[in-house]
Amino acid sequence: MTHAHSRPDGGETTPDEVGLIQIRQPSLPSSYRMICFPSSRNSPLCYLAMAELLLPTVELLIVQYPSALPFEDDPDPAPGKELIDKVFESVRGWADRPFALFGHRMGAELAYEVGCRLERETYGAAPLTLFASGRTAPGHRGSLGPPALNCRVVALTARHDPRATLTGVRAWRRCTSGRFDLEVFPGASGYLKSYRREVVNIVHDQLISLGGPDPD
């Protein structure tokens, strides 16, 4: 397993830049890629653990947020336009194989916004699936208008999570014209760690069921 850090100019990142960590198996090219959007800039470790179970079929690309953004000032922040723009520009060139987006908490909303832009602005670079974890759907209490996504959406949540109620999580169904699935885990939080293998199986089964092409 190799960790490769990607930077916009090939040098050191600055506090305003988005970094990317690529986790892959060099000797066995992956059929799929999953771009991961953590809940904050300090929470990539659960994805490193998931990578050990997903490789070599699925390689991971983990987004590292600019350190200048004040995530810790808000326990449940919304991604601003500046962050959406930076992340979109950083990941848009990584669609050279079938890929999915996986976001947790704030990262789920960020993955949604980036996915919408990928479908709208980048020809041939649409995600296969958006995995939205531990987050209510954007605008779930109001009218969303026409679905913004065409890809499959899989929403994950804990049954008793006060920050992601089942009603709000089910509203992800209204965000896509594609298929929707809901996965509910016991407890109030922490399922990405406690039920890591089950989450990985969901990711793996969802991607394999789409029957994407084999890598070159």
Side-chain angles (χ1 to χ4, degrees):
M1 183 170 67
T2 296
H3 298 188
H5 293 259
S6 174
R7 296 182 172 87
D9 298 314
E12 295 297 322
T13 55
T14 72
D16 292 328
E17 291 176 343
V18 169
L20 300 172
I21 301 175
Q22 183 187 22
I23 306 175
R24 60 189 176 89
Q25 185 67 263
S27 60
L28 295 171
S30 300
S31 299
Y32 304 93
R33 175 174 291 134
M34 188 164 75
I35 304 174
C36 302
F37 300 75
S39 58
S40 75
R41 65 172 176 263
N42 295 319
S43 58
L45 291 181
C46 71
Y47 301 102
L48 297 177
M50 287 172 63
E52 296 181 0
L53 300 174
L54 285 167
L55 289 173
T57 305
V58 183
E59 72 174 35
L60 267 62
L61 192 71
I62 304 174
V63 177
Q64 291 187 298
Y65 304 126
S67 59
L69 293 177
F71 286 100
E72 284 72 29
D73 293 346
D74 186 341
D76 198 20
K81 184 179 184 303
E82 180 182 2
L83 180 59
I84 295 168
D85 290 344
K86 287 177 181 291
V87 174
F88 171 72
E89 292 299 332
S90 294
V91 305
R92 66 185 303 180
W94 290 86
D96 57 327
R97 65 188 59 202
F99 71 98
L101 308 176
F102 190 111
H104 184 62
R105 298 295 192 193
M106 182 278 295
E109 190 167 341
L110 178 58
Y112 166 75
E113 296 290 348
V114 170
C116 290
R117 290 193 59 179
L118 287 169
E119 286 195 348
R120 185 173 65 246
E121 301 178 25
T122 310
Y123 179 76
L128 297 174
T129 304
L130 167 66
F131 296 95
S133 172
R135 186 76 163 189
T136 57
H140 74 276
R141 292 188 179 89
S143 174
L144 290 175
L149 285 174
N150 297 313
C151 69
R152 177 182 295 184
V153 171
V154 179
L156 305 93
T157 191
R159 183 169 299 279
H160 302 295
D161 187 347
R163 295 166 60 187
T165 63
L166 286 177
T167 298
V169 174
R170 286 193 186 100
W172 282 102
R173 181 190 305 274
R174 297 158 52 194
C175 294
T176 183
S177 59
R179 175 173 167 175
F180 173 79
D181 293 301
L182 176 65
E183 301 287 348
V184 181
F185 297 90
S189 63
Y191 55 86
L192 290 186
K193 180 178 180 180
S194 301
Y195 294 90
R196 180 179 298 133
R197 186 170 293 276
E198 288 82 357
V199 172
V200 165
N201 287 341
I202 290 168
V203 170
H204 186 271
D205 292 347
Q206 288 281 350
L207 292 178
I208 296 303
S209 71
L210 295 175
D214 292 332
D216 294 334

Coordinates of all heavy atoms in Angstrom, one line a residue, residues 32-85:
Y32 N -11.6 0.9 -9.3 CA -12.4 2.1 -8.9 C -11.5 3.0 -8.0 O -10.6 2.6 -7.4 CB -13.6 1.6 -8.1 CG -14.5 0.7 -8.9 CD1 -14.3 -0.7 -8.7 CD2 -15.5 1.1 -9.7 CE1 -15.1 -1.6 -9.4 CE2 -16.3 0.2 -10.4 CZ -16.1 -1.1 -10.3 OH -16.9 -2.0 -11.0
R33 N -12.0 4.2 -7.9 CA -11.4 5.2 -7.0 C -12.5 5.8 -6.1 O -13.6 6.0 -6.6 CB -10.7 6.3 -7.8 CG -10.1 7.4 -6.9 CD -9.3 8.4 -7.8 NE -8.1 7.8 -8.2 CZ -7.6 7.9 -9.5 NH1 -8.3 8.5 -10.4 NH2 -6.5 7.3 -9.8
M34 N -12.2 6.0 -4.9 CA -13.2 6.7 -4.0 C -12.5 7.9 -3.4 O -11.4 7.8 -2.8 CB -13.7 5.8 -2.9 CG -14.8 6.4 -2.1 SD -15.7 5.2 -1.0 CE -14.5 5.0 0.3
I35 N -13.1 9.1 -3.7 CA -12.6 10.3 -3.2 C -13.3 10.6 -1.8 O -14.6 10.7 -1.8 CB -12.9 11.5 -4.2 CG1 -12.2 11.1 -5.5 CG2 -12.3 12.8 -3.6 CD1 -12.6 12.1 -6.6
C36 N -12.6 10.7 -0.8 CA -13.1 10.9 0.6 C -13.0 12.3 1.1 O -12.0 12.9 1.0 CB -12.3 9.9 1.5 SG -12.4 8.2 1.0
F37 N -14.1 12.7 1.7 CA -14.2 14.1 2.2 C -14.5 14.0 3.7 O -15.6 13.7 4.2 CB -15.4 14.8 1.6 CG -15.3 15.0 0.1 CD1 -15.5 13.9 -0.8 CD2 -15.0 16.2 -0.5 CE1 -15.4 14.0 -2.1 CE2 -14.9 16.3 -1.9 CZ -15.1 15.2 -2.7
P38 N -13.4 14.1 4.6 CA -13.5 13.9 6.0 C -14.5 15.0 6.6 O -14.8 16.0 6.0 CB -12.1 14.1 6.5 CG -11.2 13.8 5.3 CD -12.0 14.3 4.1
S39 N -14.8 14.7 7.9 CA -15.7 15.7 8.6 C -14.9 16.9 9.0 O -15.6 18.0 9.2 CB -16.3 15.0 9.8 OG -15.2 14.5 10.7
S40 N -13.6 16.9 9.2 CA -12.8 18.0 9.5 C -11.4 17.8 9.0 O -11.1 16.7 8.5 CB -12.8 18.3 11.0 OG -11.9 17.4 11.6
R41 N -10.5 18.8 9.1 CA -9.2 18.6 8.5 C -8.4 17.6 9.4 O -7.3 17.2 9.0 CB -8.5 19.9 8.5 CG -8.2 20.6 9.8 CD -7.3 21.9 9.5 NE -7.1 22.6 10.8 CZ -7.8 23.7 11.1 NH1 -8.8 24.1 10.3 NH2 -7.5 24.3 12.2
N42 N -8.9 17.2 10.5 CA -8.1 16.3 11.4 C -8.6 14.9 11.5 O -8.3 14.2 12.4 CB -8.0 16.9 12.8 CG -7.3 18.2 12.9 OD1 -6.3 18.4 12.2 ND2 -7.8 19.2 13.6
S43 N -9.4 14.5 10.5 CA -10.1 13.2 10.6 C -9.9 12.3 9.4 O -10.9 11.7 9.0 CB -11.6 13.4 10.9 OG -12.2 14.2 9.8
P44 N -8.7 12.1 8.9 CA -8.5 11.2 7.8 C -8.2 9.8 8.2 O -8.2 8.9 7.3 CB -7.3 11.8 7.0 CG -6.5 12.4 8.1 CD -7.5 12.9 9.1
L45 N -8.0 9.5 9.5 CA -7.5 8.2 9.9 C -8.5 7.1 9.6 O -8.1 6.0 9.3 CB -7.2 8.2 11.4 CG -6.0 9.1 11.8 CD1 -5.7 9.0 13.3 CD2 -4.7 8.7 11.0
C46 N -9.8 7.3 9.7 CA -10.7 6.3 9.5 C -10.7 5.8 8.0 O -10.9 4.6 7.7 CB -12.1 6.7 9.9 SG -12.9 7.9 8.8
Y47 N -10.3 6.7 7.1 CA -10.2 6.3 5.7 C -9.0 5.6 5.4 O -8.9 4.7 4.6 CB -10.3 7.6 4.8 CG -11.6 8.4 5.1 CD1 -11.6 9.5 5.8 CD2 -12.8 8.0 4.5 CE1 -12.7 10.2 6.1 CE2 -13.9 8.7 4.7 CZ -13.9 9.8 5.5 OH -15.1 10.5 5.7
L48 N -7.9 5.8 6.2 CA -6.7 5.0 6.1 C -7.0 3.6 6.5 O -6.5 2.6 5.8 CB -5.6 5.6 6.9 CG -5.1 7.0 6.6 CD1 -4.0 7.5 7.6 CD2 -4.5 7.1 5.2
A49 N -7.8 3.4 7.5 CA -8.2 2.1 7.9 C -9.1 1.4 6.9 O -9.0 0.2 6.6 CB -8.8 2.1 9.3
M50 N -10.0 2.1 6.3 CA -10.9 1.6 5.3 C -10.1 1.1 4.1 O -10.5 0.2 3.4 CB -11.9 2.6 4.9 CG -13.0 2.9 6.0 SD -14.1 4.3 5.6 CE -14.8 3.7 4.0
A51 N -9.0 1.9 3.7 CA -8.3 1.6 2.6 C -7.7 0.1 2.6 O -7.6 -0.5 1.6 CB -7.1 2.6 2.4
E52 N -7.3 -0.3 3.8 CA -6.7 -1.6 3.9 C -7.7 -2.7 3.6 O -7.3 -3.8 3.1 CB -6.2 -1.8 5.4 CG -5.1 -0.9 5.8 CD -4.6 -1.2 7.2 OE1 -5.2 -2.1 7.9 OE2 -3.7 -0.5 7.7
L53 N -9.0 -2.4 3.7 CA -10.1 -3.4 3.4 C -10.5 -3.2 2.0 O -11.1 -4.2 1.4 CB -11.2 -3.2 4.4 CG -10.9 -3.4 5.9 CD1 -12.1 -3.1 6.7 CD2 -10.5 -4.9 6.1
L54 N -10.4 -2.1 1.4 CA -10.9 -1.8 0.0 C -9.9 -2.2 -1.1 O -10.3 -2.5 -2.2 CB -11.3 -0.4 -0.1 CG -12.6 0.0 0.6 CD1 -12.8 1.6 0.6 CD2 -13.8 -0.6 -0.2
L55 N -8.6 -2.0 -0.7 CA -7.6 -2.3 -1.7 C -7.5 -3.8 -2.0 O -7.8 -4.6 -1.2 CB -6.2 -1.9 -1.2 CG -6.0 -0.4 -1.2 CD1 -4.6 -0.1 -0.5 CD2 -5.9 0.3 -2.5
P56 N -7.2 -4.2 -3.3 CA -6.8 -3.3 -4.4 C -7.9 -2.9 -5.3 O -7.7 -2.2 -6.2 CB -5.8 -4.2 -5.2 CG -6.4 -5.6 -5.0 CD -6.9 -5.6 -3.6
T57 N -9.2 -3.4 -5.0 CA -10.3 -3.1 -5.9 C -10.6 -1.6 -6.0 O -10.8 -1.0 -7.1 CB -11.5 -3.9 -5.5 OG1 -11.2 -5.2 -5.4 CG2 -12.6 -3.6 -6.5
V58 N -10.5 -1.0 -4.8 CA -10.9 0.5 -4.7 C -9.7 1.2 -4.1 O -9.3 0.9 -2.9 CB -12.1 0.7 -3.9 CG1 -12.5 2.2 -3.9 CG2 -13.3 -0.1 -4.4
E59 N -9.1 2.2 -4.8 CA -8.1 3.0 -4.2 C -8.8 4.3 -3.6 O -9.8 4.6 -4.1 CB -7.0 3.4 -5.2 CG -7.5 4.4 -6.3 CD -6.3 4.8 -7.1 OE1 -5.4 4.0 -7.4 OE2 -6.3 6.0 -7.5
L60 N -8.1 4.9 -2.7 CA -8.7 6.1 -2.0 C -7.9 7.3 -2.3 O -6.7 7.3 -2.4 CB -8.8 5.8 -0.5 CG -10.1 5.3 0.1 CD1 -10.3 3.9 -0.5 CD2 -10.1 5.2 1.6
L61 N -8.6 8.4 -2.4 CA -8.1 9.7 -2.5 C -8.7 10.5 -1.4 O -9.9 10.7 -1.4 CB -8.4 10.4 -3.9 CG -7.6 11.6 -4.3 CD1 -6.1 11.3 -4.5 CD2 -8.2 12.3 -5.5
I62 N -7.9 11.0 -0.4 CA -8.4 11.6 0.8 C -8.1 13.1 0.7 O -7.0 13.5 0.5 CB -7.8 11.1 2.0 CG1 -8.1 9.6 2.1 CG2 -8.4 11.7 3.3 CD1 -7.4 8.9 3.3
V63 N -9.2 13.9 0.8 CA -9.0 15.4 0.7 C -8.5 15.9 2.0 O -9.0 15.6 3.1 CB -10.4 16.1 0.3 CG1 -10.2 17.6 0.4 CG2 -10.9 15.6 -1.0
Q64 N -7.5 16.7 2.0 CA -7.0 17.5 3.2 C -7.4 18.9 3.0 O -6.9 19.6 2.1 CB -5.5 17.3 3.3 CG -5.0 15.9 3.6 CD -3.5 15.8 3.9 OE1 -2.7 16.1 3.0 NE2 -3.2 15.5 5.1
Y65 N -8.1 19.4 4.0 CA -8.6 20.8 3.9 C -7.6 21.8 4.2 O -6.6 21.5 5.0 CB -9.8 21.0 4.8 CG -10.9 20.0 4.5 CD1 -11.4 19.2 5.6 CD2 -11.5 19.8 3.3 CE1 -12.4 18.3 5.3 CE2 -12.5 18.9 3.0 CZ -13.0 18.1 4.1 OH -13.9 17.2 3.8
P66 N -7.7 23.1 3.7 CA -6.8 24.1 4.1 C -6.8 24.3 5.6 O -7.9 24.4 6.3 CB -7.4 25.3 3.4 CG -8.2 24.8 2.2 CD -8.7 23.5 2.8
S67 N -5.6 24.5 6.2 CA -5.6 24.6 7.7 C -6.0 26.0 8.1 O -6.3 26.1 9.3 CB -4.1 24.4 8.1 OG -3.2 25.3 7.5
A68 N -6.2 26.9 7.2 CA -6.6 28.2 7.6 C -8.1 28.3 7.9 O -8.6 29.3 8.4 CB -6.3 29.2 6.5
L69 N -8.9 27.3 7.4 CA -10.3 27.3 7.6 C -10.7 26.9 9.1 O -10.2 26.0 9.6 CB -11.0 26.3 6.7 CG -10.9 26.7 5.2 CD1 -11.5 25.6 4.3 CD2 -11.5 28.1 4.9
P70 N -11.6 27.7 9.7 CA -11.9 27.5 11.1 C -12.9 26.4 11.4 O -14.0 26.7 11.9 CB -12.4 28.9 11.5 CG -13.1 29.4 10.3 CD -12.3 28.9 9.1
F71 N -12.6 25.1 11.1 CA -13.6 24.1 11.3 C -14.0 24.0 12.8 O -15.1 23.7 13.1 CB -12.9 22.7 10.9 CG -12.9 22.6 9.4 CD1 -11.7 22.8 8.7 CD2 -14.0 22.2 8.7 CE1 -11.6 22.6 7.4 CE2 -13.9 22.0 7.3 CZ -12.7 22.3 6.6
E72 N -13.0 24.1 13.7 CA -13.3 23.8 15.1 C -14.1 24.9 15.7 O -14.6 24.8 16.8 CB -12.0 23.7 15.8 CG -11.3 22.3 15.6 CD -10.7 22.2 14.2 OE1 -10.3 23.2 13.6 OE2 -10.6 21.1 13.7
D73 N -14.4 26.0 15.0 CA -15.2 27.1 15.6 C -16.7 26.7 15.5 O -17.5 27.4 16.2 CB -15.0 28.4 14.9 CG -13.6 29.0 15.1 OD1 -12.9 28.5 16.1 OD2 -13.1 29.8 14.4
D74 N -17.1 25.7 14.7 CA -18.4 25.3 14.6 C -18.5 23.8 14.6 O -17.8 23.1 13.8 CB -18.9 25.8 13.2 CG -20.4 25.6 13.0 OD1 -21.0 24.8 13.7 OD2 -21.0 26.3 12.1
P75 N -19.3 23.2 15.5 CA -19.4 21.8 15.6 C -20.0 21.1 14.4 O -19.8 19.9 14.2 CB -20.2 21.5 16.9 CG -21.0 22.8 17.0 CD -20.1 23.9 16.5
D76 N -20.7 21.9 13.6 CA -21.4 21.3 12.4 C -21.4 22.3 11.3 O -22.5 22.8 10.9 CB -22.8 20.9 12.8 CG -23.4 19.9 11.8 OD1 -22.7 19.3 11.1 OD2 -24.7 19.8 11.8
P77 N -20.2 22.6 10.8 CA -20.1 23.7 9.8 C -20.7 23.3 8.4 O -20.8 22.1 8.1 CB -18.6 23.9 9.7 CG -18.0 22.6 9.9 CD -18.9 22.0 11.0
A78 N -21.1 24.3 7.6 CA -21.5 24.1 6.3 C -20.3 24.5 5.4 O -19.6 25.5 5.7 CB -22.7 24.9 5.9
P79 N -20.0 23.8 4.3 CA -18.9 24.2 3.4 C -19.2 25.4 2.7 O -20.3 25.6 2.1 CB -18.8 23.0 2.5 CG -20.1 22.4 2.5 CD -20.7 22.6 3.8
G80 N -18.3 26.4 2.7 CA -18.5 27.6 2.0 C -18.1 27.5 0.5 O -17.4 26.5 0.1
K81 N -18.5 28.5 -0.2 CA -18.2 28.5 -1.7 C -16.7 28.4 -1.9 O -16.3 27.7 -2.9 CB -18.8 29.7 -2.4 CG -18.6 29.7 -3.9 CD -19.3 30.9 -4.5 CE -19.1 30.8 -6.0 NZ -17.8 30.7 -6.5
E82 N -15.9 29.1 -1.2 CA -14.5 29.1 -1.4 C -13.9 27.7 -1.2 O -13.1 27.3 -2.1 CB -13.8 30.0 -0.4 CG -12.2 30.1 -0.6 CD -11.6 31.0 0.5 OE1 -12.3 31.5 1.3 OE2 -10.3 31.1 0.4
L83 N -14.3 27.0 -0.2 CA -13.8 25.6 0.0 C -14.3 24.7 -1.1 O -13.6 23.9 -1.7 CB -14.3 25.1 1.3 CG -13.9 23.6 1.7 CD1 -12.3 23.5 1.7 CD2 -14.4 23.2 3.0
I84 N -15.6 24.8 -1.5 CA -16.1 24.0 -2.6 C -15.3 24.2 -3.9 O -15.0 23.3 -4.6 CB -17.6 24.4 -2.8 CG1 -18.5 24.0 -1.6 CG2 -18.1 23.7 -4.1 CD1 -19.9 24.5 -1.6
D85 N -15.0 25.5 -4.2 CA -14.2 25.8 -5.4 C -12.9 25.2 -5.3 O -12.4 24.6 -6.3 CB -14.1 27.3 -5.6 CG -15.4 28.0 -5.9 OD1 -16.3 27.3 -6.4 OD2 -15.5 29.2 -5.8

